Amino acid sequence: MFEAFTNQPIRLIGEDGSRTQPFELDLSVDELLQIHRDMIRARVCDERLIPILRQGKTSFYAQSTGMEATQIGIAWGVKKKHDWFWPYYRDNGLLLTLGMPMGRWIAQLLGSNEDVCKGRQMPQHFSDPENHIASICSAIGSHIAPAAGTAIAQKYLGTDEITVCTFGEGATSEGDWHAGVNMASANKAPCLFICENNQYAISLNVKDQTNSKNIAVKGHAYGIPGFYVDGQDVLAVRAVVKQAAEYIRAGNGSVLIECLTYRIGTHSSSDDDSRYRSKDEVESWRAQDPLVRFERFLEKEGILPAREEIEAYYGSVLAEFEEALQKSDASGYPTWEILFDDVYSDLPDHLAQQALYLREENL
Ligand SMILES: Cc1ncc(C[n+]2csc(CCOP(=O)(O)OP(=O)(O)O)c2C)c(N)n1
């Protein structure tokens, strides 16, 4: 059992890949290797999306390199296609590991005809009802209260689903965050709030974001447990998320988890990070790569695949990416006419007239 409100982040694997404490591994070798592949898949896609952005195929992207242990650990601690998710725009590893097809994500980034929203959401504001992933909200913190509402509905309906809501540490300074966490807690709603603390809200360092010792302690204010976890340790994140999910499913109300991680890339495609952090700092975190740490662990356990096998997997993910990209691009792009679709079952007269006008103008 992990304790809430620890002073140090909960950790199972050290930098060198060895166990920091004795623990029983409740994952098979196949599962451990799948976690490794999930981390690689997230990393490859993230790196591949930068040139896609520079080629102008999409106009916005939020990188997640360095945050794979947090995001893949979360996905492995919950019940996929069962629990419901209110993620945020940087959750690339989470969406892929929850089962959202890569092609569906790429179509959303491109806004092509294959996109479920046909380009009517901002790029990287994905959704995937099939995998219980709600649409991304651009206004920071604005998805916390809807997540609390989802959890209250789950309790009311008597399901054994839980709601998982992720956000950056910047979101915890928004009024919406406090209202939402309070609402979930006061209703003893089955809601798991997870802060992916990557230490910067655009240019603002977490130390200037809050005077609290960390984010997890904010659980005290709402009477819910707050767990402080090493977000570079995929097994620790998965184990704490799993324990919290079981506690919530047993009817104990909400939980807050903070995963301490780092954003290696820039905040978004329109950010110059040299204005607010040093190269040395970025390099020191690059040296604490969660993927490398997990590989060291697998090596110590004697189950790390041969380098050629790992390289082959990188290649297969790249091939999957290129195929999905080409397929999405080839599906074409929506015209203005979709503006009038999917909102009303019977288009009101004034909109029908506007559509007619645009068609006559041959726009
Ligand atoms: C209500 C609101 N205020 C400001 C912004 C502009 N904004 C976009 S992302 C961001 C930083 C969010 O930081 P954090 O929650 O820590 O997540 P991160 O991007 O670091 O993963 C801000 C301030 C916004 N989208 N919404």
Side-chain angles (χ1 to χ4, degrees):
M1 280 287 282
F2 299 104
E3 297 288 319
F5 305 117
T6 52
N7 286 323
Q8 294 300 319
I10 298 167
R11 196 180 234 209
L12 293 177
I13 314 173
E15 268 310 322
D16 65 353
S18 57
R19 296 178 186 222
T20 52
Q21 52 185 290
F23 63 89
E24 206 175 307
L25 203 53
D26 56 344
L27 288 160
S28 67
V29 171
D30 281 352
E31 287 172 323
L32 289 166
L33 295 180
Q34 187 56 48
I35 291 175
H36 179 227
R37 285 194 292 271
D38 288 344
M39 292 176 85
I40 293 175
R41 201 154 176 260
R43 177 70 57 89
V44 170
C45 290
D46 198 59
E47 287 175 351
R48 189 65 192 93
L49 273 159
I50 305 304
I52 299 303
L53 181 74
R54 301 223 167 102
Q55 287 161 17
K57 286 193 187 298
T58 187
S59 54
F60 179 85
Y61 180 61
Q63 296 175 57
S64 53
T65 288
M67 297 171 68
E68 293 87 354
T70 291
Q71 298 182 353
I72 280 85
I74 295 171
W76 275 82
V78 296
K79 289 193 182 174
K80 296 176 194 174
K81 292 195 199 289
H82 179 83
D83 295 330
W84 283 79
F85 302 89
W86 284 90
Y88 86 121
Y89 49 79
R90 206 178 295 286
D91 272 325
N92 308 318
L94 179 60
L95 71 88
L96 285 171
T97 312
L98 287 177
M100 182 167 174
M102 198 190 285
R104 201 170 288 165
W105 176 35
I106 291 173
Q108 201 287 325
L109 279 154
L110 265 57
S112 70
N113 279 331
E114 277 198 337
D115 172 23
V116 275
C117 290
K118 297 220 167 56
R120 283 171 290 195
Q121 247 285 33
M122 190 173 155
Q124 190 57 9
H125 288 52
F126 50 86
S127 57
D128 190 16
E130 194 194 335
N131 288 293
H132 296 191
I133 299 175
S135 186
I136 300 301
C137 302
S138 219
I140 301 296
S142 63
H143 65 308
I144 312 295
T150 305
I152 291 169
Q154 286 166 331
K155 182 177 176 189
Y156 176 76
L157 295 170
T159 71
D160 82 329
E161 301 159 359
I162 68 165
T163 296
V164 181
C165 176
T166 59
F167 42 85
E169 78 289 350
T172 67
S173 299
E174 290 287 349
D176 280 3
W177 189 85
H178 297 273
V181 176
N182 184 60
M183 188 165 87
S185 166
N187 283 281
K188 275 203 170 294
C191 203
L192 177 52
F193 295 103
I194 307 180
C195 177
E196 300 182 25
N197 177 3
N198 62 20
Q199 306 184 46
Y200 285 92
I202 312 186
S203 56
L204 190 70
N205 187 272
V206 63
K207 292 192 185 74
D208 303 314
Q209 180 77 240
T210 176
N211 203 25
S212 300
K213 177 169 81 175
N214 57 36
I215 305 298
V217 292
K218 292 180 194 281
H220 278 303
Y222 302 103
I224 59 174
F227 293 91
Y228 184 36
V229 188
D230 181 345
Q232 306 298 90
D233 177 348
V234 69
L235 293 188
V237 174
R238 179 243 171 209
V240 174
V241 168
K242 189 165 176 278
Q243 177 183 306
E246 278 162 12
Y247 168 93
I248 294 169
R249 238 180 276 283
N252 294 302
S254 307
V255 172
L256 171 65
I257 296 176
E258 171 186 2
C259 301
L260 182 65
T261 180
Y262 194 80
R263 153 168 71 70
I264 294 292
T266 55
H267 167 76
S268 71
S269 33
S270 41
D271 173 40
D272 172 9
D273 66 332
S274 67
R275 309 261 309 257
Y276 58 84
R277 61 182 187 177
S278 70
K279 272 207 168 96
D280 286 352
E281 182 188 298
V282 179
E283 288 318 309
S284 81
W285 277 91
R286 202 190 292 280
Q288 302 170 54
D289 188 330
L291 184 48
V292 173
R293 195 195 299 189
F294 192 52
E295 287 187 352
R296 287 182 187 141
F297 170 78
L298 296 177
E299 196 168 18
K300 282 203 190 308
E301 297 288 310
I303 55 172
L304 181 70
R307 222 2 92 187
E308 307 81 68
E309 204 182 312
I310 296 177
E311 292 304 326
Y313 184 66
Y314 271 89
S316 73
V317 179
L318 266 177
E320 184 186 354
F321 187 98
E322 294 315 318
E323 192 184 321
L325 180 69
Q326 277 174 25
K327 187 165 170 280
S328 183
D329 204 21
S331 74
Y333 292 84
T335 65
W336 59 265
E337 299 197 42
I338 57 132
L339 274 177
F340 298 94
D341 296 343
D342 303 332
V343 180
Y344 297 96
S345 57
D346 294 315
L347 200 63
D349 283 350
H350 69 288
L351 291 180
Q353 276 169 22
Q354 287 178 19
L356 191 66
Y357 168 77
L358 287 171
R359 213 162 283 133
E360 280 169 3
E361 291 293 309
N362 210 10
L363 292 171

